[in-house]
């Protein structure tokens, strides 16, 4: 996407609404080309300005959420000032984040709010597509999961440590994702000011950002699709699930004889032998190449961060992140929770699950200031009531806390069931034009027709 396409603005028409699009890890503005074009087709230049952020392109996404957020904030502020100087000031702001871009966007809106922009501009739509709001730490048990948590967190520079929540953000003694979800933080205050908060989460085959983290939930009913019935929205079937009643457990099925199950499993295993053979040969080489490249990118990332820290104009972004003077208390309690967050179960025990469910019902309303929050929380309780049918994942204490606080501001959550392509993380926004990504167009159509307010 060329620069002229990245910023879609006509000063003569003086649209007063700006929509900012933020791409994800290893991404670039071209990944959001379909989103931007669909947005423009729906809303002409006299109604909406579009900015596709470019300052975090490629390996720059290794540099961390705060660095990426500061870069995006600078882009937005420069454009807001330019439009004001041109006689076309912005009165409304919407923000869209894809994958890691959703976390960067949550950081950026906190900075914009702290600098007083939301006193002059109305925050309207905040939307995320496949964003890992809870990080990407796998809640599964076993050496392979532990290996992934350890290996993955150390191969993506600062962003990797933050996504796996093993970082300590500045002087807070807490991971940045925990701070982003703190009700007393500038980031949550900013998020609560948006008129609508909407997320889209893949229910299967998202290897980059699993369902539980993109949907901000402690359960995953989609682990076994054969055990559930899915319920879809009429005009968007079979891609978008009904947000109020997405799934229900199937009635108990007759027990399949042991011999039949053994025969079926054997046939499946035999059919997968070529795949396993290829993986055995490929994984060691790929691991070596990945590790070497990650080391190089981490070194370059550290250099970029040092240069960024020396840049001009950053002092205005180095502000207190917590607004109620609870920094010390939060830091101590956060450190205590992290020390006790190592769990050895795929799912919680029934006693722990009951305790967590009771806590989930206590959604803090103080953060949600818009009149739609009460209705959103009612919808949330309807979907939460289904949790009893599915076991609670063994997330960390910090992740459970993030869920409670993020749900407290009220989200419209749409579960996306893409079935024609296994790379659902890319398909959900039609990252490239290919036949297998057609279902992503249904997702984008739903976003524009049902949730995005101009």
């Amino acid at each position: 996407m060329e620069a002229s396409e990245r910023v879609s603005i006509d000063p003569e028409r003086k649209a007063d609404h700006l929509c900012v699009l933020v791409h994800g890890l290893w991404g670039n503005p071209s990944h959001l080309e379909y989103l931007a074009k669909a947005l423009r087709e729906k809303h002409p230049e006299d109604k909406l300005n579009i900015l596709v952020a470019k300052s975090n392109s490629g390996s720059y996404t290794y540099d961390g959420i705060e660095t990426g957020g500061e870069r995006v904030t600078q882009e937005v502020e420069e454009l807001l000032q330019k439009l004001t100087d041109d006689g076309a000031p912005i009165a409304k702001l919407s923000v869209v984040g894809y994958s890691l871009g959703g976390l960067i966007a949550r950081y950026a809106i906190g900075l914009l709010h702290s600098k007083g922009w939301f006193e002059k501009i109305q925050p309207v739509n905040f939307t995320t597509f496949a964003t890992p709001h809870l990080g990407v730490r796998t809640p599964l048990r076993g050496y392979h999961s532990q290996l992934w948590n350890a290996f993955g967190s150390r191969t993506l520079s600062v962003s990797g440590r933050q996504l796996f929540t093993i970082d300590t953000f500045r002087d807070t003694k807490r991971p940045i994702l925990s701070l982003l979800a703190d009700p007393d933080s500038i980031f949550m205050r900013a998020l609560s000011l948006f008129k609508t908060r909407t997320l889209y989460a893949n229910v299967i085959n998202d290897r980059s950002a699993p369902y539980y983290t993109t949907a901000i939930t402690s359960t995953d009913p989609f682990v076994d699709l054969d055990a559930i019935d899915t319920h879809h929205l009429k005009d968007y079937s079979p891609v978008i699930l009904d947000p109020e009643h997405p799934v229900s457990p199937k009635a108990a099925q007759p027990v399949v004889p042991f011999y039949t199950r053994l025969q079926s499993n054997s046939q499946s295993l035999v059919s997968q032998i070529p795949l396993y053979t290829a993986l055995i040969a490929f994984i060691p080489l790929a691991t070596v190449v990945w590790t070497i490249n990650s080391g190089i990118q981490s070194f370059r990332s550290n250099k970029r961060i040092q240069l960024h820290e020396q840049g001009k104009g950053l002092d205005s972004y180095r502000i207190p992140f917590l607004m109620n003077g609870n920094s010390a208390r939060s830091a101590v309690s956060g450190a205590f929770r992290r020390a006790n967050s190592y769990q050895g179960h795929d799912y919680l025990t029934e006693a722990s699950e009951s305790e967590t469910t009771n806590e989930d019902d206590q959604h803090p309303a103080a953060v949600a200031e818009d009149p739609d929050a009460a209705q959103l929380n009612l919808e949330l309780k309807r979907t939460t009531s289904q949790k009893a049918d599915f076991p609670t994942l063994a997330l960390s204490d910090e992740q459970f806390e993030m869920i409670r606080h993020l749900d407290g501001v009220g989200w419209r959550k749409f579960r996306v069931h893409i079935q024609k392509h296994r790379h659902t993380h890319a398909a959900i926004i039609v990252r490239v034009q290919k036949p297998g990504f057609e279902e992503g167009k249904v997702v984008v159509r739903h976003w524009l027709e049902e949730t995005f307010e101009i």
Side-chain angles (χ1 to χ4, degrees):
M1 183 176 290
E2 299 297 331
S4 60
E5 297 173 301
R6 183 180 65 83
V7 182
S8 181
I9 292 170
D10 183 352
E12 296 300 321
R13 300 194 181 187
K14 296 186 178 181
D16 67 349
H17 191 163
L18 171 64
C19 183
V20 180
L21 308 181
V22 187
H23 64 72
L25 189 65
W26 302 307
N28 59 72
S30 68
H31 286 180
L32 302 175
E33 184 172 357
Y34 183 80
L35 277 185
K37 288 185 176 179
L39 194 58
R40 172 55 67 228
E41 289 176 2
K42 181 71 174 179
H43 302 292
E45 292 181 349
D46 62 338
K47 297 295 184 181
L48 184 70
N49 296 316
I50 301 173
L51 168 66
V52 183
K54 69 172 183 179
S55 55
N56 290 311
S57 296
S59 59
Y60 277 56
T61 52
Y62 275 79
D63 300 348
I65 294 168
E66 75 280 14
T67 302
E70 289 175 353
R71 290 174 181 150
V72 170
T73 304
Q74 286 181 318
E75 281 192 76
V76 174
E77 287 194 296
E78 289 172 2
L79 180 56
L80 291 175
Q81 189 59 56
K82 181 180 184 302
L83 289 172
T84 298
D85 294 342
D86 291 342
I90 293 299
K92 292 179 284 187
L93 176 70
S94 294
V95 181
V96 180
Y98 164 59
S99 191
L100 176 66
L103 300 176
I104 291 173
R106 283 172 54 196
Y107 194 96
I109 62 173
L111 296 182
L112 290 170
H113 176 40
S114 70
K115 298 191 69 176
W117 282 105
F118 290 175
E119 297 173 6
K120 300 173 284 187
I121 297 175
Q122 178 191 4
V124 184
N125 307 286
F126 188 90
T127 308
T128 63
F129 293 91
T131 287
H133 292 282
L134 310 180
V136 296
R137 169 194 174 274
T138 174
L140 300 178
R141 184 183 183 184
Y143 72 90
H144 58 287
S145 297
Q146 296 174 13
L147 180 63
W148 164 244
N149 286 333
F151 182 72
S153 64
R154 290 165 175 80
T155 55
L156 295 173
S157 189
V158 176
S159 294
R161 294 193 294 274
Q162 293 174 344
L163 287 170
F164 283 86
T165 62
I166 65 168
D167 64 303
T168 300
F169 182 61
R170 297 195 180 150
D171 59 350
T172 66
K173 296 184 173 63
R174 301 165 62 187
I176 191 172
L177 292 187
S178 174
L179 184 67
L180 282 175
D182 191 315
D184 293 329
S185 71
I186 58 173
F187 311 108
M188 285 288 279
R189 294 298 176 93
L191 185 62
S192 71
L193 294 176
F194 279 81
K195 186 176 181 181
T196 69
R197 289 161 298 278
T198 307
L199 65 79
Y200 290 85
N202 286 310
V203 300
I204 59 171
N205 294 330
D206 195 325
R207 308 305 181 192
S208 300
Y211 168 75
Y212 79 91
T213 184
T214 57
I216 313 177
T217 180
S218 60
T219 63
D220 186 353
F222 305 99
V223 172
D224 183 4
L225 291 178
D226 293 331
I228 60 173
D229 289 316
T230 55
H231 311 288
H232 305 90
L233 288 179
K234 179 180 178 182
D235 295 330
Y236 305 95
S237 178
V239 179
I240 305 292
L241 301 187
D242 184 343
E244 294 189 20
H245 187 47
V247 299
S248 58
K250 283 184 177 178
Q253 301 294 316
V255 178
V256 179
F258 172 77
Y259 177 76
T260 302
R261 285 185 281 127
L262 178 62
Q263 184 180 35
S264 175
N265 291 337
S266 299
Q267 291 174 347
S268 175
L269 180 61
V270 170
S271 68
Q272 294 181 16
I273 287 178
L275 173 62
Y276 289 139
T277 302
L279 289 176
I280 290 172
F282 174 74
I283 287 178
L285 177 61
T287 300
V288 171
V289 173
W290 171 267
T291 303
I292 293 173
N293 180 66
S294 295
I296 294 172
Q297 295 299 338
S298 295
F299 175 79
R300 292 176 176 173
S301 175
N302 289 333
K303 291 293 185 182
R304 284 195 302 269
I305 293 173
Q306 291 176 10
L307 291 174
H308 178 79
E309 294 291 326
Q310 298 169 8
K312 296 180 179 180
L314 292 181
D315 291 344
S316 62
Y317 299 151
R318 302 304 157 84
I319 54 178
F321 298 114
L322 296 173
M323 302 179 69
N324 285 349
N326 294 325
S327 179
R329 174 183 58 79
S330 298
V332 173
S333 62
F336 179 80
R337 287 190 302 273
R338 293 170 70 192
N340 289 279
S341 66
Y342 300 101
Q343 305 180 55
H345 300 285
D346 291 346
Y347 301 97
L348 297 182
T349 62
E350 290 186 7
S352 298
E353 192 170 332
S354 175
E355 180 181 345
T356 302
T357 302
N358 290 335
E359 290 176 349
D360 280 346
D361 290 338
Q362 300 171 7
H363 305 297
V367 181
E369 300 176 6
D370 62 281
D372 297 328
Q375 179 62 31
L376 286 168
N377 280 330
L378 286 175
E379 294 177 5
L380 174 65
K381 289 193 174 188
R382 280 198 292 268
T383 56
T384 300
S385 67
Q386 300 180 33
K387 289 184 177 181
D389 297 323
F390 305 101
T392 301
L393 296 168
L395 305 178
S396 70
D397 289 345
E398 281 175 335
Q399 287 174 314
F400 282 119
E401 188 172 75
M402 290 180 212
I403 293 171
R404 287 192 293 272
H405 293 327
L406 287 170
D407 276 345
V409 299
W411 290 80
R412 290 185 287 185
K413 300 182 179 182
F414 295 100
R415 298 150 184 88
V416 178
H417 190 190
I418 291 174
Q419 304 171 59
K420 295 181 180 179
H421 203 284
R422 294 188 64 82
H423 192 4
T424 59
H425 191 72
I428 194 171
I429 62 160
V430 195
R431 208 163 71 185
V432 295
Q433 289 283 2
K434 58 191 307 182
F437 287 3
E438 291 298 311
E439 289 168 304
K441 295 182 178 180
V442 177
V443 178
V444 176
R445 178 167 63 85
H446 177 272
W447 168 55
L448 293 175
E449 293 178 351
E450 305 294 339
T451 74
F452 190 87
E453 298 184 19
I454 193 65

